[in-house]
Amino acid sequence: MEQKPFLQMRNISKTFPGVKALDAVKLEILPGEIHALVGENGAGKSTLIKILAGVEIPDPGAEFLIDGQPANIQQPLDSTKRGIAVIYQDFSLFPSLTVAENIGFGREIGQGRRFVNWIEIRETANRALQELGVEIDLNSQLEKLSVAKQQLVAIARALAFNARLIIMDEPTSSLSQAEVEGLFKIIRNLKAKGIAILFVSHKLQELFTIAERFTVLRDGKYIGTYLKKDLNEEKLISLMVGRKVEFIKQPGGKVGQPILEVKSISKKGNFKDISFRLHKGEILGLTGLVGAGRSEVAQALFGLNAPDEGDIILEGKKVSIHSPEEALSFGIAYIPEHRQIQGLVMRQSVAKNITLTSLKKIRGKLGFLDNNSEKNLVNQYMQVLDIRPKNPDMLTMQLSGGNQQKVVLAKWLATNPKILIVDEPTNGIDVGAKAEIHRLLRQLAAEGIAVLMISSELPEILAICDRILVMRRGRMVAEFNIDEATQEKIMNKAFLGTANSVSA
Amino acid sequence: MQKINISKISINKETILLYVFILTFVFMSILSPSKFLSLGNLQSMASQLPELGIISLGMMVVIITGGINLSITYTAALAGIAGAFVLSSGLGSEATGIYVFITILKALAVILLTGFLCGLLNGYLVGSIGVAPILVTLGTMTLYEGVSLLFTKGGAISGFPLQYQWIGNGNILFLPVPIVIFILFALLTGILLERTAWGRSVYMFGCNPTATLFSGVNIKKVIMFVYIYSSVAAALAAIIMTSRYNSAKVDYGSSYLLQSVAIVVLGGTDIAGGYGKVIGTIIAAGIIQILSSGLNLIGINRFIVDVTMGILLIGVLLLNFFINKAGRKGVMTKQQKEMKTDKKVPA
């Protein structure tokens, strides 16, 4: 059966400052095909989708054909007009509008109308829902519907735009088993109508149920497109992992006494039954797919997300931590994932950022801030971390990403922490700075600090950790010693592991 | 030809304001030297400025955190009325001796305590519950006005001891007492903001509340103190006002609400939070005072005074906006330069 492809993308590259997110990737989608796009975190799936949606523009030299004709996609409206619709994880709908408005509005605006034709909007909405074969009251407000129904509205909205390719980003992440089956039925219906689906998901079992072909990305590169019959789960994982990025292997240190013990903590909707031990002088890696609940666990230890159940035992004493202020007083430091929002006050100087965690320390007589002790503290840590340029009065936003991250490290080292939690510490910084941060973390561990490192970058985890924990869907699914861990083993657990496979 | 390096010329908001202040002063003096520069007018301006100035400083502290305190003038009214009940109870204006002194002290304490409690409520609702400041203070504004009306039925309370009037009308050496209070309060505000952990946290919170929380700062406490400080400023203004008018009434000072916001913004404070200086607010309060007194004095129609003030405010805001924009461009080109030099270094 020879079919002309609906969509052909060839030689798609995308360069962000310092990072090549996509490198000569290709993607081909046939009419009425259910196609899966798979890859690890950071493999480039999201960037590819954004290019498809017209949100990002690829580097020059890209070929983008629809029905064999070159398509010039410069903005989201261009891609919508060509029949490409994206349903993001959060659906990107309007919660306070009605179902009819959500389905019908975009089309009105897309046609450049200035006035709203209410009758037409309702007709459009009705037609789209009928085409899907579902019944939803057109007048109900969107946010009052269940997640599964909201998703159907999003799909109906795509149909109202005469979509020929619907891209679904993690569509099953908040659906129950029955709802997933309902969704799959609808997807097969759409297929019968000649509408193609591009399915992006981490749930391999589901992909094997629904998808016909798989395109695999790794490290921004195209690995291949495979038919379902040529693949199984293990083989697919082995295609996804094996990232070539190499980091200098940092030798492990002497692991000391346990300092922190987490005993089956749970938080509804976040994580369940998490237990582990953290020792002085070790770097404990915590990995898993994005959304597995890693940051939530870290923030539970930092007082931002107190668990509902379970115990946190710090140096042999049971503690409860309800605010970062308390965490700080217990000697727990947290370098958050979103440096520019959570980590730094970008519009203020490097010096003020460094001392923000230690204002109590630099108070002199009468409780006033002491200029000299502030200067000393700032100079000390700017030197230890080699922050450049060596100007404490420079605004933090003027520094490079790597130096900004060092400022975050500096402000927490200034508190003399016993436990340092780092969340994606090398996210968005260049390779040289990454290696420097790795060396620093290892050095801190050697000084006796217990480090818990959350990272999605397996090469990084394998380069500097002593032990590795793997989470999946809010559960702890595996623990590896560094000498037995490989990328394949970790990814296997991250994608397929169950809570029973680990005895903590 | 010598190249002028624009970034080297320091034009900060406060210096511009100072020039505007001097200009308005000179302008008014030329326009009406006999009236504007008369001792009477200078003294009258000096006694009016403190109320507005103190309230503006109280407003500024809140605006630096990215909030606003709409209840500030009714806090002043309520505090003044609470004190007035103490002042007018039992003692006539001819009472003397230690009893008067104690009564006045009691009244001052009641005024400050009322302000403190009003601030506590605002601070609790904003900081601990997390309701938007504009909603909280809009609500408490109505609440404090309502309570004030309940107790006074809209009328004025008077019959204070004579000695109480010294606060609003007396002199220390040659300086009016209100000016002395204003100077002391401004100094205190400056020191608290610039030299204490609380002040530092206020600016950091205004720039980025999330990162401040993530740095282990107790932001609930910081915000609580901000709103208490703002309301105590209102109470301080209430002391001067009740003394100057020798009575307390619900609508005394109610026109200061929008004026104080205008002064704070005119004074260079970022309405989105994170920046604001005591000196800027003081100069801005001075400019507004000179304009309103001066234009009034030379017999200009009240409405034209408002128009003039509006134009001045918009003008300075535009100027600040363009200076900020130029500043941001400077930062961006600097960053681009750095990125280019970074690339030259082999990884």
Side-chain angles (χ1 to χ4, degrees):
Chain A
M1 186 177 75
E2 192 59 33
Q3 255 183 317
K4 273 193 187 155
F6 164 68
L7 171 91
Q8 287 166 287
M9 293 172 95
R10 283 193 287 258
N11 195 26
I12 304 287
S13 299
K14 178 75 193 173
T15 317
F16 293 109
V19 196
K20 191 143 201 183
L22 288 177
D23 186 5
V25 165
K26 58 180 173 176
L27 177 67
E28 183 194 84
I29 292 175
L30 304 172
E33 174 189 34
I34 304 176
H35 198 113
L37 180 62
V38 291
E40 274 185 70
N41 302 328
K45 296 173 309 227
S46 311
T47 313
L48 187 61
I49 291 175
K50 281 184 186 155
I51 289 174
L52 266 166
V55 177
E56 298 276 5
I57 296 168
D59 294 347
E63 278 182 75
F64 198 138
L65 306 176
I66 289 175
D67 289 328
Q69 302 294 318
N72 183 20
I73 309 270
Q74 296 289 336
Q75 50 163 333
L77 198 58
D78 297 336
S79 124
T80 315
K81 279 184 180 159
R82 298 302 198 113
I84 298 173
V86 184
I87 299 175
Y88 295 99
Q89 226 167 331
D90 61 357
F91 309 143
S92 306
L93 294 168
F94 305 97
S96 51
L97 298 186
T98 65
V99 170
E101 287 161 343
N102 266 292
I103 299 174
F105 256 155
R107 199 172 120 103
E108 290 265 312
I109 295 160
Q111 289 167 349
R113 296 264 186 86
R114 280 186 178 75
F115 293 97
V116 177
N117 183 340
W118 288 102
I119 298 168
E120 208 179 291
I121 280 187
R122 292 184 66 87
E123 274 174 4
T124 310
N126 225 341
R127 221 178 306 126
L129 286 173
Q130 269 174 9
E131 211 179 324
L132 270 185
V134 293
E135 262 179 50
I136 300 175
D137 181 8
L138 287 180
N139 296 318
S140 50
Q141 206 182 326
L142 187 87
E143 61 190 351
K144 298 202 174 118
L145 300 179
S146 69
V147 177
K149 281 197 173 156
Q150 291 187 24
Q151 189 171 43
L152 293 176
V153 172
I155 297 174
R157 181 180 158 86
L159 291 181
F161 279 108
N162 300 319
R164 296 179 55 204
L165 166 64
I166 300 179
I167 300 163
M168 297 187 183
D169 189 5
E170 293 287 349
T172 60
S173 58
S174 38
L175 299 187
S176 70
Q177 194 54 43
E179 287 166 339
V180 169
E181 273 155 31
L183 176 69
F184 285 0
K185 221 172 110 189
I186 280 169
I187 288 178
R188 292 197 181 99
N189 265 337
L190 294 173
K191 173 187 165 62
K193 291 185 163 74
I195 296 171
I197 308 284
L198 180 63
F199 210 94
V200 183
S201 175
H202 283 312
K203 298 184 182 170
L204 299 189
Q205 291 107 318
E206 286 177 10
L207 289 179
F208 275 96
T209 320
I210 189 88
E212 298 157 321
R213 286 205 300 167
F214 291 74
T215 289
V216 182
L217 299 183
R218 184 207 301 159
D219 268 338
K221 293 199 178 65
Y222 174 78
I223 301 302
T225 300
Y226 308 87
L227 288 171
K228 179 161 75 176
K229 65 177 168 59
D230 301 331
L231 282 177
N232 58 35
E233 287 177 6
E234 262 86 77
K235 186 160 178 217
L236 186 58
I237 290 172
S238 75
L239 289 169
M240 280 190 273
V241 299
R243 298 184 56 185
K244 287 281 151 43
V245 194
E246 276 297 328
F247 291 113
I248 304 158
K249 175 91 178 109
Q250 303 280 342
K254 258 194 230 155
V255 173
Q257 294 295 310
I259 180 163
L260 174 79
E261 194 177 349
V262 173
K263 275 189 176 167
S264 60
I265 55 167
S266 300
K267 170 97 182 179
K268 213 171 171 236
N270 274 339
F271 50 82
K272 205 171 171 207
D273 201 16
I274 300 293
S275 301
F276 63 89
R277 272 194 191 149
L278 182 63
H279 303 82
K280 277 185 181 174
E282 84 170 330
I283 300 183
L284 177 60
L286 178 57
T287 190
L289 302 168
V290 168
R294 301 166 304 173
S295 299
E296 286 79 357
V297 170
Q299 293 187 0
L301 299 176
F302 190 59
L304 286 164
N305 189 22
D308 309 325
E309 282 171 54
D311 296 333
I312 298 171
I313 294 158
L314 191 68
E315 294 180 303
K317 264 183 249 151
K318 198 180 142 184
V319 294
S320 60
I321 310 168
H322 291 285
S323 71
E325 192 192 16
E326 279 177 22
L328 191 152
S329 71
F330 286 130
I332 300 175
Y334 176 57
I335 315 276
E337 181 181 0
H338 304 286
R339 184 166 56 238
Q340 306 199 345
I341 303 163
Q342 301 166 333
L344 292 168
V345 182
M346 300 290 280
R347 279 158 62 204
Q348 295 282 0
S349 70
V350 171
K352 285 181 181 172
N353 270 286
I354 291 178
T355 53
L356 186 56
T357 50
S358 317
L359 290 172
K360 281 176 190 155
K361 262 199 210 166
I362 56 169
R363 272 199 297 221
K365 282 177 200 155
L366 301 167
F368 294 124
L369 297 181
D370 185 70
N371 270 336
N372 282 331
S373 37
E374 175 160 27
K375 247 183 227 157
N376 290 341
L377 192 74
V378 169
N379 286 339
Q380 183 191 341
Y381 284 96
M382 283 188 78
Q383 202 151 25
V384 168
L385 292 164
D386 190 24
I387 295 170
R388 286 176 203 206
K390 291 190 184 303
N391 175 6
D393 297 323
M394 200 145 155
L395 295 188
T396 317
M397 63 182 173
Q398 291 170 281
L399 302 185
S400 70
N403 278 297
Q404 283 176 3
Q405 189 67 314
K406 286 192 202 166
V407 174
V408 188
L409 269 166
K411 78 180 208 186
W412 280 107
L413 293 186
T415 67
N416 296 322
K418 295 176 197 149
I419 296 172
L420 178 66
I421 306 170
V422 290
D423 198 344
E424 302 285 1
T426 61
N427 204 353
I429 64 183
D430 66 66
V431 181
K434 277 185 188 188
E436 220 179 323
I437 301 265
H438 292 164
R439 215 168 39 241
L440 262 166
L441 290 175
R442 204 62 257 187
Q443 189 191 325
L444 293 171
E447 285 164 17
I449 296 178
V451 180
L452 177 64
M453 181 172 87
I454 298 174
S455 177
S456 297
E457 282 211 48
L458 290 184
E460 167 172 283
I461 289 263
L462 291 169
I464 71 165
C465 291
D466 297 300
R467 244 177 349 127
I468 299 159
L469 302 172
V470 185
M471 280 184 76
R472 174 171 181 255
R473 296 201 205 171
R475 299 285 203 130
M476 197 66 84
V477 293
E479 180 182 338
F480 295 103
N481 264 323
I482 188 64
D483 25 289
E484 57 179 13
T486 62
Q487 291 198 26
E488 280 78 10
K489 279 188 189 168
I490 295 173
M491 281 328 274
N492 243 308
K493 291 296 182 186
F495 275 103
L496 309 167
T498 56
N500 305 329
S501 57
V502 60
S503 51
Chain B
M1 205 175 77
Q2 221 182 344
K3 239 184 171 179
I4 297 169
N5 190 344
I6 294 180
S7 64
K8 284 265 168 71
I9 304 171
S10 84
I11 15 170
N12 68 27
K13 294 171 173 178
E14 285 76 24
T15 343
I16 293 177
L17 269 178
L18 192 61
Y19 292 143
V20 176
F21 176 79
I22 294 168
L23 264 175
T24 21
F25 195 90
V26 171
F27 180 69
M28 282 301 159
S29 308
I30 295 169
L31 221 58
S32 167
S34 58
K35 286 182 190 162
F36 185 77
L37 287 178
S38 70
L39 191 66
N41 180 52
L42 291 179
Q43 268 181 347
S44 127
M45 286 199 302
S47 62
Q48 280 167 29
L49 180 67
E51 292 162 24
L52 186 53
I54 290 171
I55 286 188
S56 299
L57 287 174
M59 184 65 88
M60 180 187 80
V61 175
V62 176
I63 291 183
I64 293 175
T65 65
I68 196 160
N69 184 1
L70 297 178
S71 71
I72 197 163
T73 50
Y74 283 112
T75 300
L78 182 60
I81 286 163
F85 276 111
V86 177
L87 285 170
S88 60
S89 65
L91 288 165
S93 55
E94 55 287 320
T96 49
I98 191 78
Y99 295 107
V100 178
F101 186 66
I102 289 173
T103 309
I104 289 177
L105 278 187
K106 251 200 308 197
L108 295 181
V110 165
I111 292 175
L112 292 173
L113 182 70
T114 310
F116 176 85
L117 291 175
C118 289
L120 199 71
L121 180 61
N122 283 339
Y124 176 73
L125 292 173
V126 174
S128 300
I129 309 280
V131 187
I134 194 165
L135 297 180
V136 167
T137 57
L138 191 66
T140 53
M141 171 176 99
T142 319
L143 175 71
Y144 301 156
E145 182 192 10
V147 174
S148 304
L149 282 170
L150 203 67
F151 283 117
T152 61
K153 312 272 180 292
I157 304 172
S158 52
F160 301 165
L162 261 171
Q163 292 84 338
Y164 185 67
Q165 291 176 31
W166 177 81
I167 299 172
N169 303 298
N171 284 307
I172 294 176
L173 298 176
F174 58 94
L175 283 171
V177 178
I179 281 283
V180 175
I181 297 176
F182 180 36
I183 292 172
L184 290 178
F185 184 72
L187 280 174
L188 177 71
T189 311
I191 290 170
L192 286 178
L193 282 179
E194 301 292 335
R195 299 260 26 104
T196 67
W198 171 72
R200 180 68 64 79
S201 310
V202 167
Y203 285 107
M204 299 303 263
F205 180 92
C207 282
N208 185 342
T210 311
T212 309
L213 169 69
F214 273 66
S215 300
V217 173
N218 187 338
I219 57 174
K220 284 181 190 170
K221 223 157 98 185
V222 169
I223 290 301
M224 178 65 87
F225 196 69
V226 161
Y227 282 87
I228 289 175
Y229 195 77
S230 180
S231 294
V232 168
L236 210 55
I239 292 174
I240 300 174
M241 259 190 297
T242 48
S243 167
R244 229 161 48 84
Y245 296 127
N246 198 24
S247 62
K249 194 164 176 262
V250 68
D251 51 7
Y252 285 174
S254 56
S255 66
Y256 290 156
L257 175 58
L258 293 182
Q259 277 188 41
S260 68
V261 177
I263 285 170
V264 170
V265 178
L266 180 66
T269 300
D270 189 343
I271 193 79
Y275 185 88
K277 284 205 160 21
V278 169
I279 188 70
T281 300
I282 293 176
I283 300 173
I287 294 172
I288 297 288
Q289 187 65 54
I290 290 173
L291 271 180
S292 68
S293 296
L295 294 175
N296 241 338
L297 214 60
I298 54 176
I300 286 185
N301 186 320
R302 180 72 229 168
F303 304 122
I304 296 187
V305 175
D306 284 348
V307 171
T308 319
M309 297 244 213
I311 290 173
L312 179 86
L313 187 62
I314 292 169
V316 175
L317 292 184
L318 281 178
L319 199 61
N320 278 341
F321 175 78
F322 287 117
I323 290 172
N324 272 346
K325 216 171 145 186
R328 266 203 300 277
K329 260 189 200 154
V331 169
M332 270 163 68
T333 43
K334 205 166 181 184
Q335 268 179 326
Q336 279 161 1
K337 264 186 209 159
E338 265 169 32
M339 273 165 69
K340 272 178 200 156
T341 48
D342 270 1
K343 272 179 193 162
K344 280 178 203 155
V345 181

